[in-house]
Amino acid sequence: MLDHPLRDWLSASSSPTETARVLGRTIPLRRLEPQGSGNGWWHLDGTEQLGAIPLSASVGSPLLLEAGKHPQHWLLLQHDGSACLQQGRQRRELRNGDGVILPGLPWTLQTDEASTTLLSFDPIELLAAARRLGGPHWQSPPPRQSPLLTLREISGANDAPAAALLAMLNRLLVSAHEVARLQPDLLDELLLLQQLYRLLAVLVFPELRDGKGGLKPAAGVNDPRLDSLLDFIGLHLDQPLSLQMLEDRSNYSRRTLHYLFQQRFGCSPMQWIRQLRMSQAHERLANPGPGDTVKAVAAACGYRSLSQFGLDFQRAHGCRPSEVLRSGRSGAA
């Protein structure tokens, strides 16, 4: 019998169509199909709204599930059985007790008999929780935000603290579910969702586990609106970013934005964005994934011109992007 922390709450689905109807309440389903001949279809499924966090839970027969684009990010928890998750070129074989962070891009899950929980979360809220844990000046340049930019597995197999935190996260989900069904308003009063975001932040950013943030204080003023804008920028470096967009997002004037960035970082907003892009590009090229090319990394860092990307990269790092990629590939071989 497959284990699931919320198993007693789930309801039997009589067919793949019914399972798709239930899970489709929270997941942007493109396709759900049974896999293999097996012993017929059996499934237990359920959805719940934990405040602003939708949750889906499922136990049962082998299936293939395809999900479309979503405005939020995802956390998938694999409780029992076996499954394979793919997003773009990234593919992960999931083990019992694993967690996976997924950007809100299309993904596919193929399972044998398996037990999973899936919830969507706001990456800006997650970064805000990380900042609160790390202190008022905690910053998240691309190396710190990179776990939110691509598929990221969180495994407790060789990481005892991660295993304990994932177990704690499962227990918190059970508590939050019970409170949500009895008295939803208590979720906020008991700070259960804030606890969930903090647990997730510590799992995603291991440097926060020492309680000190692991980072040096940033110079300049501490401004919540600017912090939120920095998080937005870090999660949208692949998209065109203009001063007008930053003004609209922050409700600051252009002059105020220049002043705040100069105070905190010693440069203009657009210079800071370019620095972030160059830092992210170097990290991606030095640690390439399957199929990563200079062109693909340039596009992921918001560059539409490959020649401009090459010029900016060489100015920032003193070498060509292709050299870093070649070195990264040879180091991984």
Side-chain angles (χ1 to χ4, degrees), residues 26-28 54 68-74 102-107 120-124 148 232 235-236 239 249:
T26 56
I27 302 171
K69 193 173 182 179
H70 192 272
Q72 305 284 36
H73 282 33
W74 297 101
L102 292 161
L105 301 173
W107 49 271
S120 63
F121 66 90
D122 184 344
I124 301 295
L148 299 179
F232 172 82
L235 290 166
H236 295 83
Q239 301 175 19
R249 180 78 189 185

Side-chain angles (χ1 to χ4, degrees), residues 56-248:
S56 299
S58 180
V59 181
S61 299
L63 58 76
L64 174 68
L65 184 155
E66 291 184 2
K69 193 173 182 179
H70 192 272
Q72 305 284 36
H73 282 33
W74 297 101
L75 169 66
L76 186 148
L77 298 171
Q78 174 77 9
H79 304 295
D80 205 351
S82 60
C84 178
L85 182 70
Q86 183 159 355
Q87 186 174 62
R89 295 178 181 272
Q90 293 186 288
R91 183 182 178 92
R92 294 289 188 278
E93 299 289 338
L94 303 183
R95 300 176 294 274
N96 293 354
D98 284 349
V100 184
I101 301 294
L102 292 161
L105 301 173
W107 49 271
T108 301
L109 180 69
Q110 187 166 6
T111 75
D112 293 328
E113 290 192 348
S115 165
T116 61
T117 296
L118 188 75
L119 53 89
S120 63
F121 66 90
D122 184 344
I124 301 295
E125 283 292 326
L126 179 61
L127 291 171
R131 178 171 288 111
R132 286 192 291 271
L133 285 168
H137 301 294
W138 193 80
Q139 296 301 313
S140 298
R144 305 294 178 178
Q145 286 181 327
S146 58
L148 299 179
L149 301 176
T150 59
L151 185 153
R152 160 83 183 282
E153 184 177 354
I154 302 171
S155 175
N158 299 306
D159 186 345
L165 290 166
L166 283 165
M168 188 183 299
L169 180 62
N170 282 317
R171 291 194 294 271
L172 182 60
L173 286 175
V174 172
S175 299
H177 158 73
E178 292 174 350
V179 170
R181 294 185 69 81
L182 294 172
Q183 196 167 351
D185 291 344
L186 279 177
L187 285 171
D188 287 333
E189 293 180 27
L190 297 175
L191 304 179
L192 290 179
L193 298 187
Q194 290 90 328
Q195 291 179 45
L196 192 153
Y197 269 111
R198 287 184 172 221
L199 265 176
L200 191 53
V202 173
L203 279 165
V204 173
F205 302 104
E207 64 269 25
L208 292 172
R209 294 179 192 173
D210 62 4
K212 301 174 183 178
L215 296 171
K216 296 179 181 179
V221 295
N222 178 44
D223 187 297
R225 270 195 291 173
L226 180 59
D227 290 339
S228 179
L229 181 64
L230 299 180
D231 293 340
F232 172 82
I233 290 170
L235 290 166
H236 295 83
L237 288 175
D238 62 325
Q239 301 175 19
L241 295 170
S242 65
L243 273 174
Q244 184 62 56
M245 182 185 294
L246 302 187
E247 287 181 76
D248 295 341

